[in-house]
Each structure stands twice: as C-alpha cells, then as structure tokens.
Amino acid sequence: MASQGKPITSPISDVYYPSLAVIMIGIGLIVTASFFIYEATSSKKTRSLAKELIAGTVASVFLGFGSLFLLLASGVYV
Amino acid sequence: MALRSTHLFIFFFFITISLFFTSAFSNLILSKVERRIDLTSQIVRTISTLKVENEGPDMVSEVLLCFPDYQAQKLAFFLVSPNDGKGKSKSSTTSLPVQGVKPEGMPPSLTFYSVSLPKGLSKGESIILDVFAVFTHSLQPFPEQITQADIQLVLFQDSAYYLSPYEVKFQSLSVRLPSPRVESYTKLQNTKLVDSEIKYGPYENLPAFSYEVVVVHYENNRPFAVAQELVREIEISHWGNVQITEHYNLVHGGAHNKGGFSRLDYQARPHVRGVSSFRHLLAKLPPRAHSVYYRDEIGNISTSHLRGDSRKTELELEPRYPMFGGWKTSFTIGYGLPLQEYLFESEGKRFINISFGSPMQELVIDNLIVKIVLPEGSSDVSVSVPFSVKQLEEVKYSHLDIAGRPVVVLERKNAVPEHNMHFQVYYKFSGLSLLREPLMLISGFLFLFITCIIYMHADMSISKSSASYLAKLQWDEVQATLQQVQNIINRCLGVHDKLETSLRDLSRTGDIQACKAARKAADSYLKELAKDLKPFLTFLQSCPQAAQIWPKVEELVAKVKEIEEKLMMKHIMVVDSYEKKSGGREIENKVAALQQKLTTLRHEVDDILEVIDEI
C-alpha cells in the first residue's frame, strides 16, 4: 500500500528551521528597529505614510516567517 | 396434466429448499481438526486447522464456523485464511471474507460466522482452513483476591471437542501454558500433561455440536495490563512531522490485591513478594521516532528508558508504582515521526499510512480511540481500515487555527496487538493552505505596526483650543522647520565640499575650464538653496516659540554665508593663479590665511549644528 504513493516531504527540510528562524527574526527586528527610529525621529510634518507602511510590512513578513520557523524548530508543529 | 405438473413443481420446490438448508450443514464434514490454544499471556489465542471436505453432490462456497455466545462476546480478532499445506509463513496467507450470520434452526446461544471460500468445493474436494481467533478477558482469576506474595492462578474454560455445525472425523486439542505449574485440569480420556502443554485427543467421529467442557486452573503471572481506554491522537503537520500522543488509562486486570501493599517486602524481594505485579511496560515505537516523552497529570515521569537503532525504537516505561491486581494508573506518551515515511500522495489525494493499535506489548485495550487530526484546509476525507471500526468526525482547534482541523475518530472495542495493522486516511489538501499559519503570524505583526502608525498619526488631545495644545502644535512646526533648515544647511555644506574637491582636481589635472564650470554650477545651486531657506527663516523669526533658537539659527546662517563668500574668493584666487601659471608654493601662501579662516568657520558651524540637533 505504502509503495503506491509518492512520499510527501515538508517544503523546507526541517534541518534549516533553526537557522532560518534566527536569520529571519534578526532581519525582522532590524527593520522593526528602523521603523520605530523613523517614527520617533520624524515629526508630523515630515513623516511619510508610504515609508512607514513599507517598513511595517517588510518587518512583519520577516517576523512572521521567523516566528513560524522558531515554532517549528522548537517542536511546535503548527 | 396441469395438476401433475403443479405437483411436480411443488415437489421440486421442497427438494431445493431442503437442499439449500442441508447443503450448508450436512454435506460438509471436517475430516481433520487440529486446535492449539495459547494461554501463555493474558490474551487467549486459538489456531484451528480445519480440513473441510464436501461429501454432498452440490457445490459449496461457504463454510460456517461457530462459537458459544460467551466466547463470541470476548472475541477480539478473527482471521480465516486458506492453508495450502506447505507454506506456513504468514505473509503468503490472505484472509477470507467473514460475515456474521444467523442461520435458522440452529441451537440458541451460539454465534455463527460464515466464511466465503476462494472457490467453490465440488463433490469430494477438500480445503484446509486456518482459523485464528483471539479472545480477551477469558482468563478468570481464581481466587479472585490474592495477597502481595501470592501467585496468580487463573481459570480457563473451553470445549475439548471442536464446536462445529458439521460432523468432525478426527480431532485433537493442545493447550499451551506459561509454566508447568498447573493447579488442576479436566481429565477426559486421552488427556496428558507434557511439560507445559496439555493434550486432549485424538477423538474420532463426533457428531455436529459436540461439546465437552474442560477447565484448566493454572499459574499465570504475566502482566495483565489492560487499557480501559486508550486515546491515540495522530496529528499531521505538513511542515514535516507526524505527532502521536497516546493517553493510557491502565489497570491490572488480574486477581485483586488484598491485605495491603508493603513497599519494604516488595523492595527486598520483588520477584517473590510481588510476583503477580508488573513493574514496567515495553513500547515498540517506529524507527526514527523523536521527541519522546512520558508524563502524567503531575508532570514528567522520570522512570523510563529509550533505546533505538535504525530498525526500531524501544521505550521501556515504568509507572509511578508497581501495578498489582485492580490497581489503576494513567499516563501519556508522545512522540514525533518524520513525515515522509508516513504521508504519501497518489492520484491527487494525500494519504497517511500508519499503524492502528498501541505500540505496547501484549496489551489488551477495552476501548481504543484513534483520532487522526488532519491539517486545516483538508477536504474529502475517507478512511480504509482492514477491520470493522466505528467512525466519527470532529473538529479540533490547535495552534494558529481559524476554521479548525478536521478530525477522523475511529473507535474499536476490544483491541489486541493483532490489530496493529496499517490503515489509511485519504484527504485532499492544497499546498497553498500551508501558508495559512505564516499569514496569520504576519497579519498579527502587521496589526501591531499599523496600530503604531495610527497612534503616531492620530491627534489624541481632548481640547483642541487650549493654550498648551496650540503651543505644542506650534512647537512641532518649529521643530519641523528647524529640521528643514538643517537639511538645507547640510546641503550647502555638501556643495562647499564639492568646490574644495574641484580645486583638488584642478591641482591634479590642471583643467581650468572644468573647475570654472563646477564653480558656476555650485554658485547657482547655492543661490537656489538660499531661496529655499528664506521662507523657513522668516517663519522662525516670526514665531514666538522659536525666540530662543532664533539667534543660533541666525548665527548659523551668517557663518554659512561667510564660508560661502570666503570659499568663492579662494576658488577665484586659485583659478586665477593657475591661469597665470603661478607655482604651487605661491598659491598656497596666497590662500593660507583664507584657508585658516575657513577651517575655523567650519568648526563653528559644526558646533552650532550640534547645539541645534540637541533641541
């Protein structure tokens, strides 16, 4: 029975989960930091919404995938 | 004529009816029956080899097997396979379809099963069948209560003759016991006890439904581990794991312990003072099982050992206390398995192929519940199990779920290790559904950022006309203007730097025209910047909030202007000297004073910029 089907593997080998988690959360935190620095240093007049949104989106994509890989690496298979 | 034909018809009708009834029962005989009953553990396994012969004229394609009702209730596993006489290996046997039937005119309190033969038996032909039946809870402890030091004695009851709706020509029975210590056993003719085996028979030419009770009372100290309920949860994650969690509700199903438990006696001589108890259980987990844990409600149980190689993983677990008769315990074990060994894809559907029963050795499970938790977003679920189970569906909410995960619940009463067969659950799943979890995490973080953005953009003050609020607004504006001024000044300084580099280029290449062009460009750019700066400066001058900073800004602008003038002078002088072909030394002397002035001015400007920055 088992020989009939093609085995299914995870999209990314689970060996890479810890390093992916570290790298992506690292990048995410750096972008988050730049986002908050921008928020704190720019005044109401000089702030641009597009810049804030781009920084926020990029940071949340990296943090989102990073925390997913962190969960997977620590054994919480979602 | 017509009347006669009707009579004939009725006559034939009765003939066929009677043939139909008798063909199933009387035309077949069992020419040889060999029965082996294995009583070495708490599970009773019987293997009967039947040689079925057809003596009637008609083709027979079904054979009836029967058990007394009291046995049929305890029947856990039943397998009938044809035996071609030579190959006794289990892999070559294929099971024949078996169906519970209720034929008419049969004695009550018997349960019948009908076996479909692979091909019909015509007159004189015979077939050999292996009937494998497993019974649980068939060993009755007697005495029912024993002390810690007593051995456990059990009673087993069966018939010495093979119970069958057919005549049996020749038969024998052998009962295997765990040890030669037998309290008593029913003695019939041709009964002998050899080592740890009791032999009955051979008996010849017994009519259908012959029954002769035999009772064996013997010692059995094997672990009577019974799981009253076992819930196995198999959770599939397409990120690379099959997680299995098993909740055991275990009881020692043997003779009850009386007179209390002495830990001292037990510790001193566990094999004598506690012979009926069991201390540990062995679970044979699949190879490459990882993250194995063993715990109960109050936490981790540290008394376990895990060994493994490439073919198997063995988990030896010890409950918190030795298990005596009637004692209960409950615990949970869990382990992860690599996805690619259990999950497959064929014809657009994915399926998991995994073992049904418990990995524990010789465990009787009264109520086995297997839950297969499929990933969120699976659809078209279907199950294929090689034996009968009750099937339900559920939804489970786990990590990062919105709609919940579909769960297939399979229930089986009375399960034994023989049920450890592979079963399949088929379902449809799109690879895109894998992105649900990361998208949820991303949207969570995005929500945080957007709240920050909204907070920073929103005006939270209650009274929009109060003095302090207005002052704050103005101060914000002053700050913004200051920033702009700083920007422009910095750009001016950048232009100054560019002029200096153009001079350096001149000394290197001697290209006077390029240097002049650079000066012209810088001049116009500076003019533009000065124009841009003007409105900001007027605002700062007029604003009362900026009164404190204004002198600084004014000074700054003045200094920058001075630098600009001096720099221009220097530039013109140097270029002129080059045109007149003066020597390098000469030029340096000429501009030395200017250069010094410029450096001090630059320092002052930097200082002022720093001061403004701090505001």
Side-chain angles (χ1 to χ4, degrees):
Chain A
M1 200 67 208
S3 56
Q4 272 185 13
K6 183 170 111 276
I8 294 178
T9 51
S10 51
I12 299 161
S13 167
D14 48 8
V15 181
Y16 302 120
Y17 287 158
S19 35
L20 271 173
V22 170
I23 292 167
M24 295 190 92
I25 289 185
I27 295 173
L29 287 178
I30 289 168
V31 181
T32 311
S34 74
F35 171 85
F36 282 110
I37 290 170
Y38 183 72
E39 289 289 319
T41 52
S42 65
S43 69
K44 222 167 241 184
K45 290 274 150 68
T46 52
R47 203 176 285 151
S48 117
L49 188 64
K51 258 190 200 171
E52 288 171 296
L53 281 178
I54 289 169
T57 318
V58 172
S60 48
V61 166
F62 276 102
L63 285 179
F65 273 104
S67 49
L68 173 82
F69 290 127
L70 181 67
L71 283 173
L72 294 173
S74 55
V76 182
Y77 280 87
V78 293
Chain B
M1 201 57 190
L3 192 74
R4 220 184 134 189
S5 70
T6 345
H7 271 133
L8 212 80
F9 174 72
I10 289 168
F11 176 67
F12 270 115
F13 181 70
F14 272 108
I15 288 280
T16 41
I17 286 284
S18 58
L19 269 180
F20 181 76
F21 266 101
T22 50
S23 69
F25 311 122
S26 357
N27 285 343
L28 289 178
I29 60 157
L30 302 178
S31 54
K32 194 178 177 191
V33 175
E34 242 175 72
R35 269 198 309 155
R36 290 178 300 280
I37 301 178
D38 183 356
L39 298 181
T40 50
S41 70
Q42 60 159 334
I43 299 166
V44 177
R45 294 184 169 88
T46 67
I47 302 169
S48 316
T49 312
L50 316 177
K51 190 174 182 194
V52 185
E53 246 181 67
N54 187 4
E55 292 200 323
D58 297 295
M59 192 91 144
V60 178
S61 59
E62 285 189 339
V63 177
L64 281 182
L65 301 173
C66 68
F67 296 100
D69 273 352
Y70 76 88
Q71 277 190 352
Q73 278 160 11
K74 290 166 178 168
L75 181 66
F77 185 78
F78 191 37
L79 183 83
V80 182
S81 52
N83 182 347
D84 42 16
K86 289 161 272 173
K88 273 205 166 180
S89 64
K90 270 203 160 177
S91 59
S92 64
T93 56
T94 47
S95 67
L96 298 174
V98 179
Q99 215 179 359
V101 287
K102 279 193 182 130
E104 280 176 47
M106 285 293 162
S109 73
L110 287 182
T111 308
F112 285 86
Y113 294 95
S114 157
V115 182
S116 311
L117 297 178
K119 60 179 171 51
L121 281 184
S122 45
K123 186 174 159 49
E125 277 187 332
S126 68
I127 184 169
I128 299 176
L129 296 178
D130 275 337
V131 181
F132 179 54
V134 179
F135 302 94
T136 57
H137 301 291
S138 298
L139 301 177
Q140 196 198 350
F142 187 81
E144 279 179 352
Q145 289 194 327
I146 54 173
T147 64
Q148 184 179 336
D150 287 340
I151 54 165
Q152 179 171 264
L153 297 171
V154 293
L155 282 176
F156 173 72
Q157 185 195 324
D158 201 353
S159 165
Y161 306 144
Y162 183 64
L163 185 67
S164 164
Y166 311 112
E167 194 187 328
V168 184
K169 290 273 184 229
F170 181 90
Q171 62 173 306
S172 63
L173 164 70
S174 70
V175 181
R176 251 186 77 206
L177 304 175
S179 70
R181 287 187 64 178
V182 182
E183 199 77 359
S184 71
Y185 62 97
T186 310
K187 292 184 179 74
L188 303 173
Q189 58 169 134
N190 293 340
T191 309
K192 47 183 182 234
L193 171 67
V194 183
D195 264 352
S196 55
E197 199 163 310
I198 304 173
K199 287 197 163 125
Y200 288 96
Y203 304 111
E204 286 173 34
N205 292 325
L206 288 170
F209 300 115
S210 303
Y211 193 83
E212 181 65 55
V213 172
V214 289
V215 176
V216 184
H217 191 197
Y218 70 103
E219 178 186 339
N220 190 343
N221 288 318
R222 295 298 161 102
F224 273 49
V226 178
Q228 290 175 321
E229 187 175 77
L230 165 59
V231 181
R232 292 188 84 211
E233 196 176 84
I234 301 167
E235 190 169 334
I236 303 167
S237 163
H238 279 191
W239 288 102
N241 194 34
V242 177
Q243 182 66 35
I244 299 184
T245 315
E246 296 173 352
H247 305 277
Y248 286 87
N249 225 334
L250 211 69
V251 67
H252 185 301
H256 282 223
N257 178 258
K258 73 170 180 200
F261 168 60
S262 161
R263 170 64 78 171
L264 188 68
D265 285 351
Y266 183 78
Q267 217 72 342
R269 288 189 295 169
H271 293 293
V272 185
R273 307 262 164 190
V275 68
S276 66
S277 69
F278 61 88
R279 188 195 268 262
H280 40 66
L281 295 158
L282 185 69
K284 287 208 165 158
L285 307 182
R288 289 173 289 286
H290 60 86
S291 327
V292 183
Y293 65 83
Y294 169 44
R295 64 168 172 79
D296 62 7
E297 272 127 53
I298 56 170
N300 177 51
I301 308 173
S302 55
T303 47
S304 63
H305 306 279
L306 187 72
R307 295 180 286 269
D309 56 30
S310 61
R311 274 171 294 114
K312 61 175 191 308
T313 312
E314 274 183 355
L315 174 66
E316 192 185 273
L317 22 102
E318 235 174 272
R320 288 194 187 268
Y321 37 83
M323 296 289 289
F324 279 91
W327 290 14
K328 291 179 181 179
T329 184
S330 59
F331 58 85
T332 303
I333 63 171
Y335 47 96
L337 298 171
L339 185 74
Q340 63 270 17
E341 289 172 29
Y342 298 92
L343 198 68
F344 304 94
E345 185 164 27
S346 78
E347 294 158 15
K349 274 195 143 188
R350 302 187 177 201
F351 68 93
I352 182 163
N353 182 36
I354 202 162
S355 160
F356 187 85
S358 155
M360 298 277 179
Q361 299 262 292
E362 291 296 294
L363 179 71
V364 169
I365 306 158
D366 288 345
N367 195 11
L368 171 61
I369 300 168
V370 179
K371 294 183 178 181
I372 303 99
V373 184
L374 301 172
E376 200 179 20
S378 334
S379 57
D380 282 351
V381 183
S382 59
V383 183
S384 121
V385 187
F387 40 85
S388 71
V389 286
K390 202 170 120 193
Q391 192 181 331
L392 297 167
E393 292 205 358
E394 266 180 19
V395 174
K396 187 195 171 188
Y397 294 92
S398 179
H399 315 287
L400 305 174
D401 283 346
I402 303 171
R405 308 181 182 203
V407 181
V408 183
V409 184
L410 304 175
E411 274 189 52
R412 167 89 202 177
K413 300 248 182 282
N414 222 354
V416 286
E418 273 75 14
H419 286 113
N420 269 3
M421 295 195 232
H422 279 68
F423 73 105
Q424 292 83 32
V425 178
Y426 294 84
Y427 62 97
K428 271 191 180 151
F429 184 79
S430 143
L432 282 178
S433 299
L434 261 185
L435 291 177
R436 277 176 191 232
E437 283 95 10
L439 279 179
M440 269 189 79
L441 288 167
I442 289 170
S443 48
F445 282 110
L446 198 60
F447 176 74
L448 178 80
F449 285 111
I450 287 182
T451 343
C452 277
I453 294 173
I454 290 172
Y455 174 74
M456 294 303 279
H457 280 255
D459 194 345
M460 294 293 205
S461 68
I462 300 165
S463 88
K464 307 269 182 204
S465 56
S466 74
S468 67
Y469 176 70
L470 290 177
K472 193 180 155 272
L473 274 190
Q474 212 161 31
W475 178 242
D476 278 349
E477 210 158 332
V478 167
Q479 271 193 320
T481 322
L482 261 183
Q483 217 164 22
Q484 302 276 15
V485 170
Q486 262 178 300
N487 269 344
I488 292 173
I489 297 288
N490 278 331
R491 257 184 276 169
C492 284
L493 293 178
V495 175
H496 295 170
D497 288 343
K498 233 181 244 171
L499 276 174
E500 292 277 8
T501 38
S502 77
L503 279 185
R504 247 174 278 136
D505 282 349
L506 178 69
S507 68
R508 202 156 34 95
T509 60
D511 190 350
I512 297 165
Q513 288 313 313
C515 197
K516 273 185 177 169
R519 186 169 72 205
K520 215 173 176 182
D523 201 37
S524 62
Y525 189 48
L526 282 174
K527 277 200 180 108
E528 228 170 85
L529 286 177
K531 217 192 275 171
D532 287 346
L533 193 58
K534 210 158 244 172
F536 298 125
L537 290 181
T538 40
F539 170 76
L540 281 179
Q541 200 175 6
S542 64
C543 189
Q545 292 262 341
Q548 263 186 315
I549 324 158
W550 174 241
K552 286 271 170 207
V553 177
E554 210 176 13
E555 196 188 344
L556 177 72
V557 173
K559 294 256 153 106
V560 170
K561 195 96 188 161
E562 206 179 338
I563 291 180
E564 195 185 314
E565 278 163 12
K566 293 263 154 57
L567 195 59
M568 282 298 171
M569 265 168 71
K570 177 187 163 193
H571 204 266
I572 292 166
M573 271 166 83
V574 172
V575 173
D576 277 359
S577 315
Y578 263 93
E579 276 181 326
K580 286 176 194 156
K581 306 246 190 305
S582 309
R585 197 98 188 135
E586 209 177 324
I587 298 167
E588 236 168 73
N589 286 340
K590 258 192 203 170
V591 290
L594 267 178
Q595 187 60 47
Q596 208 172 359
K597 192 90 198 238
L598 272 173
T599 327
T600 45
L601 276 173
R602 188 63 190 256
H603 275 296
E604 278 168 13
V605 166
D606 285 345
D607 286 346
I608 296 168
L609 274 175
E610 239 168 70
V611 170
I612 291 177
D613 240 3
E614 272 162 30
I615 301 165

